[in-house]
């Protein structure tokens, strides 16, 4: 992203931007002791390591961060995506529960770990690369790489534990060659990623058991029933929406008296 993901302990989470260049994303390392978690999924097996700021910059630029080897051809277009950002979210009440109870905080982190691994597996299995003139050749993937960022708050600094998964567009095909991800498919596939998150939040057995052990249950909206009343007071964005809604309703009634 040409603007930085400028989240720090007192800063901002900007989940609306797409990573465009290494200069933009490098600021994200500042809150993590200059080390970022990289997950490598190769033929269904996931391993992880740590990247320094320098290595992160190389990784985003399409270079192997350990060997400095260029992966495939350069993406020369100024609007080419280098990293695709998928956000792993959950209902706000989950973050409130994690603040209130250390054991639920651990259980929620474990839930997000399981969901992260599930999403990375899906990316490796279901996405593809495009090669050749006009991208006419489709290639199944053997390896994808993802950098994970963990955030504790929203852009408004409300309690909002969530993860960003940065999927590098440089992927390795089943034939061992590096090329570029078919980003059109990847963006459409985000609907599946969102559905996986929603399903896990409502049905994950270990998470449901952890909530039950503390006397918590989920309501029909997927929020924790006993904490749902705290969601709106702890959401500045929700308050802003309600304020704007009230203003619009008042304007409409003024323009349409008696309707």
């Amino acid at each position: 992203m040409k603007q930085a993901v400028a989240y720090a302990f007192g800063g901002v989470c900007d989940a609306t931007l797409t990573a465009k260049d290494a200069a933009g994303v490098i600021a994200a390392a500042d809150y993590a002791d200059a080390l970022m978690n990289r997950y490598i999924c190769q033929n269904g097996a996931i391993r992880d390591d740590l990247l320094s700021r320098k290595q992160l910059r190389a990784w985003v630029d399409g270079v192997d961060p350990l060997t400095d080897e260029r992966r495939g051809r350069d993406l020369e277009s100024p609007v080419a995506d280098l990293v695709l950002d998928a956000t792993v979210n959950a209902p706000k009440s989950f973050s409130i529960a994690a603040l209130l109870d250390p054991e639920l905080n651990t259980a929620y982190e474990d839930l997000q770990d399981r969901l992260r691994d599930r999403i990375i597996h899906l990316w490796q299995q279901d996405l593809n690369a495009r090669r050749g003139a006009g991208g006419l050749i489709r290639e199944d993937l053997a390896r994808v790489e993802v950098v994970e960022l963990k955030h504790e708050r929203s852009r408004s600094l409300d309690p909002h534990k969530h993860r960003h998964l940065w999927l590098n567009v440089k992927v390795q095909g089943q034939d061992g060659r590096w090329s570029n991800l078919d980003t059109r498919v990847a963006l459409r596939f985000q609907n599946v990623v969102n559905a996986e998150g929603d399903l896990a939040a409502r049905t994950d057995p270990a998470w449901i058991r952890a909530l039950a052990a503390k006397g918590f249950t989920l309501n029909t909206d997927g929020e924790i029933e006993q904490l749902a009343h705290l969601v709106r007071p702890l959401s500045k964005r929700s308050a802003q929406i309600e304020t704007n809604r009230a203003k619009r309703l008042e304007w409409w009634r003024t323009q349409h008296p008696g309707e």
Side-chain angles (χ1 to χ4, degrees), residues 187-209:
L187 291 173
R188 290 196 296 268
F189 197 72
Q190 184 61 27
N191 290 329
V192 176
V193 171
N194 293 338
E196 286 286 334
D198 187 58
L199 182 64
R202 294 171 183 263
T203 64
D204 183 85
W207 174 239
I208 299 300
R209 286 196 300 270

Side-chain angles (χ1 to χ4, degrees), residues 87-116 148 150-153 159-163 197 200-202 204 206-208 210-211 218 222-224:
T87 308
V88 181
N89 285 307
K92 172 83 74 174
S93 56
F94 290 17
S95 296
I96 298 172
L99 278 176
L100 295 175
D101 190 288
E103 292 181 352
L104 285 180
N105 182 63
T106 299
Y108 187 30
E109 290 289 339
D110 290 344
L111 170 65
Q112 291 192 313
D113 286 347
R114 290 191 292 275
L115 184 54
R116 174 201 65 219
E148 179 186 54
K150 296 183 180 182
H151 292 171
E152 297 293 324
R153 290 171 288 182
H160 182 48
K161 290 172 70 70
H162 62 286
R163 312 273 184 96
R202 294 171 183 263
D204 183 85
W207 174 239
I208 299 300
L211 289 176
L218 298 180
E223 297 280 4
I224 298 173

Side-chain angles (χ1 to χ4, degrees), residues 169-182:
V169 300
K170 292 296 184 181
V171 290
Q172 190 176 48
Q174 292 289 346
D175 60 0
R177 291 172 53 197
W178 288 92
S179 55
N180 301 326
L181 185 71
D182 187 338

Side-chain angles (χ1 to χ4, degrees), residues 101-243:
D101 190 288
E103 292 181 352
L104 285 180
N105 182 63
T106 299
Y108 187 30
E109 290 289 339
D110 290 344
L111 170 65
Q112 291 192 313
D113 286 347
R114 290 191 292 275
L115 184 54
R116 174 201 65 219
D117 290 349
R118 170 67 173 156
I119 291 169
I120 294 174
H121 276 128
L122 287 172
W123 277 337
Q124 187 259 302
Q125 294 166 9
D126 294 339
L127 298 184
N128 63 276
R130 287 287 184 183
R131 296 179 183 163
L136 294 178
I137 303 172
R138 173 185 170 127
E139 177 70 21
D140 290 335
L141 305 182
R143 171 170 168 158
V144 299
E145 296 188 5
V146 175
V147 161
E148 179 186 54
L149 295 84
K150 296 183 180 182
H151 292 171
E152 297 293 324
R153 290 171 288 182
S154 71
R155 284 173 286 170
S156 300
L157 303 185
D158 300 319
H160 182 48
K161 290 172 70 70
H162 62 286
R163 312 273 184 96
H164 292 272
L165 302 181
W166 284 356
L167 172 63
N168 200 308
V169 300
K170 292 296 184 181
V171 290
Q172 190 176 48
Q174 292 289 346
D175 60 0
R177 291 172 53 197
W178 288 92
S179 55
N180 301 326
L181 185 71
D182 187 338
T183 55
R184 294 167 298 178
V185 173
L187 291 173
R188 290 196 296 268
F189 197 72
Q190 184 61 27
N191 290 329
V192 176
V193 171
N194 293 338
E196 286 286 334
D198 187 58
L199 182 64
R202 294 171 183 263
T203 64
D204 183 85
W207 174 239
I208 299 300
R209 286 196 300 270
L211 289 176
K214 302 295 181 177
F216 291 138
T217 56
L218 298 180
N219 63 21
T220 56
D221 294 326
E223 297 280 4
I224 298 173
E225 180 74 40
Q226 294 77 12
L227 300 177
H229 65 289
L230 298 175
V231 169
R232 187 164 298 234
L234 290 175
S235 176
K236 293 184 181 70
R237 187 178 182 188
S238 175
Q240 291 167 353
I241 291 171
E242 285 302 311
T243 298

